[in-house]
């Protein structure tokens, strides 16, 4: 079921007004989507890293040349969308893809049943001071392409929930029509294939607040939620929400589908092995 932008926004704003956090969940499989929805999440997001992550690879595989990110999202959509009953589903779009007419691709995603988009894979995960990132920007595959993708999706009436990594990006995405700005703190820590290098929670909260303030200065109606880095478990998200002003939720990918799966399967297998024979 595809939701219009206005339907999605009405739901999200109602959640905030009721004093509840907006929770988005990455869904790399149909079963992840089905049970995240039963758990009450407000948004489901399909992007190529979900496939890699649920196949035991690190999420950053999604920004490396292991497959056509946009085609993978279309394939995953056919697996996930039919099992989702009443939750807006977003597509992670590689906005820098030089082999697609983005207006046509976004229109196709709408036709397939997606309610919105997010910018993933994103070059925002690559250090801005690195030569590699500078070369990407110089050769027409930079973050500005992701901003234009969000603008196109907004113009087509889709819900837009972009990742931002600094204040300039928060402003640019909000100016492009972002409905929900997702303040990204880097690759999620914890678990078997999580990151070990990350910010501490206090610094993360400060950065999330800065992104929030930059976005709100452009459009006071924009909603801001947090994601990634040290914000891996519910207690982490609660800390950030308690130590920021105006941040209204959390988006979890590894946090909602990978980390619980790792623990549940390992513990279940161990219990079976401990049966007395």
């Amino acid at each position: 079921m595809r939701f219009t932008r206005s339907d999605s926004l009405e739901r999200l704003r109602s959640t905030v007004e009721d004093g509840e956090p907006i929770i988005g969940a990455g869904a790399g499989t149909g079963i992840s989507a089905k049970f995240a929805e039963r758990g009450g999440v407000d948004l489901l997001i399909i992007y190529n890293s979900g496939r890699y992550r649920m196949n035991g690879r690190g999420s950053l595989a999604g920004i490396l040349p292991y497959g056509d990110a946009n085609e993978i999202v279309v394939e995953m959509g056919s697996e996930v969308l039919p099992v989702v009953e009443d939750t807006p589903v977003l597509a992670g779009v590689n906005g820098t893809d030089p082999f697609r007419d983005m207006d046509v691709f976004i229109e196709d995603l709408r036709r397939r049943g997606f309610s919105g988009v997010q910018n993933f894979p994103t070059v925002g995960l690559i250090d801005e001071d690195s030569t590699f990132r500078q070369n990407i920007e110089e050769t027409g595959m930079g973050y500005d392409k992701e901003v234009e993708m969000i603008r196109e999706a907004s113009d087509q009436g889709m819900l837009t929930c972009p990742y931002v990594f600094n204040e300039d990006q928060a402003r640019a995405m909000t100016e492009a029509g972002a409905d929900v700005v997702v303040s990204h703190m880097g690759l999620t820590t914890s678990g078997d294939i999580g990151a070990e290098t990350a910010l501490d929670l206090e610094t993360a909260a400060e950065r999330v607040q800065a992104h929030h303030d930059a976005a709100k200065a452009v459009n006071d109606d924009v909603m801001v939620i947090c994601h990634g880095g040290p914000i891996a478990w519910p207690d982490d998200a609660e800390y950030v929400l308690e130590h920021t002003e105006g941040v209204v939720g959390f988006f979890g990918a590894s946090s909602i589908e990978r980390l619980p799966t790792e623990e549940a399967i390992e513990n279940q297998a161990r219990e079976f092995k401990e049966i007395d024979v």
Side-chain angles (χ1 to χ4, degrees):
M1 175 181 179
R2 190 177 74 82
F3 291 80
T4 66
R5 177 175 178 268
S6 59
D7 288 340
S8 299
L9 285 173
E10 183 178 351
R11 281 181 163 220
L12 296 177
R13 287 172 179 152
S14 177
T15 296
V16 174
E17 290 170 1
D18 289 343
E20 298 177 5
I22 292 171
I23 302 297
T29 66
I31 199 165
S32 298
K34 178 180 287 190
F35 288 96
E37 181 176 49
R38 289 191 190 179
V41 301
D42 303 289
L43 298 168
L44 289 163
I45 303 93
I46 301 173
Y47 53 93
N48 69 331
S49 270
R51 172 167 290 180
Y52 296 124
R53 178 168 51 245
M54 298 309 285
N55 276 294
R57 276 70 177 182
S59 295
L60 288 183
I63 68 169
L64 293 171
Y66 302 141
D68 181 339
N70 285 331
E71 184 58 34
I72 289 171
V73 163
V74 170
E75 292 173 4
M76 292 173 68
S78 66
E79 299 165 358
V80 174
L81 286 165
V83 304
V84 177
E85 296 180 355
D86 191 35
T87 306
V89 179
L90 279 58
V93 177
N94 181 5
T96 69
D97 187 343
F99 300 102
R100 277 180 172 78
D101 291 325
M102 202 50 63
D103 57 340
V104 175
F105 183 59
I106 289 173
E107 184 178 358
D108 184 50
L109 292 174
R110 291 179 63 247
R111 181 180 62 81
R112 291 174 182 274
F114 286 98
S115 300
V117 301
Q118 185 172 63
N119 57 321
F120 194 90
T122 171
V123 300
L125 284 165
I126 303 170
D127 183 1
E128 282 190 308
D129 295 327
S130 68
T131 301
F132 182 50
R133 173 64 181 279
Q134 291 171 15
N135 289 166
I136 287 174
E137 299 288 342
E138 291 163 358
T139 53
M141 295 175 285
Y143 190 85
D144 62 310
K145 296 292 186 182
E146 300 177 25
V147 175
E148 289 309 308
M149 181 275 290
I150 291 296
R151 191 186 309 278
E152 177 63 38
S154 179
D155 289 346
Q156 290 198 29
M158 298 191 82
L159 184 72
T160 53
C161 305
Y163 282 138
V164 304
F165 299 83
N166 59 45
E167 293 158 70
D168 288 342
Q169 292 173 0
R171 284 187 284 267
M173 282 298 192
T174 307
E175 289 170 355
D179 299 303
V180 180
V181 166
V182 185
S183 179
H184 200 308
M185 294 295 107
L187 185 64
T188 301
T189 59
S190 296
D192 187 65
I193 54 174
E196 295 183 12
T197 304
L199 305 171
D200 59 63
L201 275 172
E202 182 179 356
T203 303
E206 292 171 357
R207 289 196 184 182
V208 171
Q209 187 68 63
H211 299 171
H212 166 278
D213 295 348
K216 285 284 191 177
V218 175
N219 179 6
D220 194 51
D221 290 332
V222 71
M223 290 172 276
V224 179
I225 64 178
C226 59
H227 168 74
I231 317 171
W233 298 97
D235 287 349
D236 303 327
E238 184 175 22
Y239 176 93
V240 172
L241 295 182
E242 286 181 349
H243 290 80
T244 53
E245 183 71 31
V247 178
V248 295
F250 169 74
F251 165 50
S254 293
S255 298
I256 289 181
E257 66 171 354
R258 173 176 66 83
L259 295 177
T261 300
E262 287 180 7
E263 288 195 350
I265 293 177
E266 181 178 348
N267 291 336
Q268 185 81 336
R270 184 173 289 113
E271 286 188 28
F272 274 106
K273 284 296 292 182
E274 290 173 352
I275 294 173
D276 289 331
V277 178

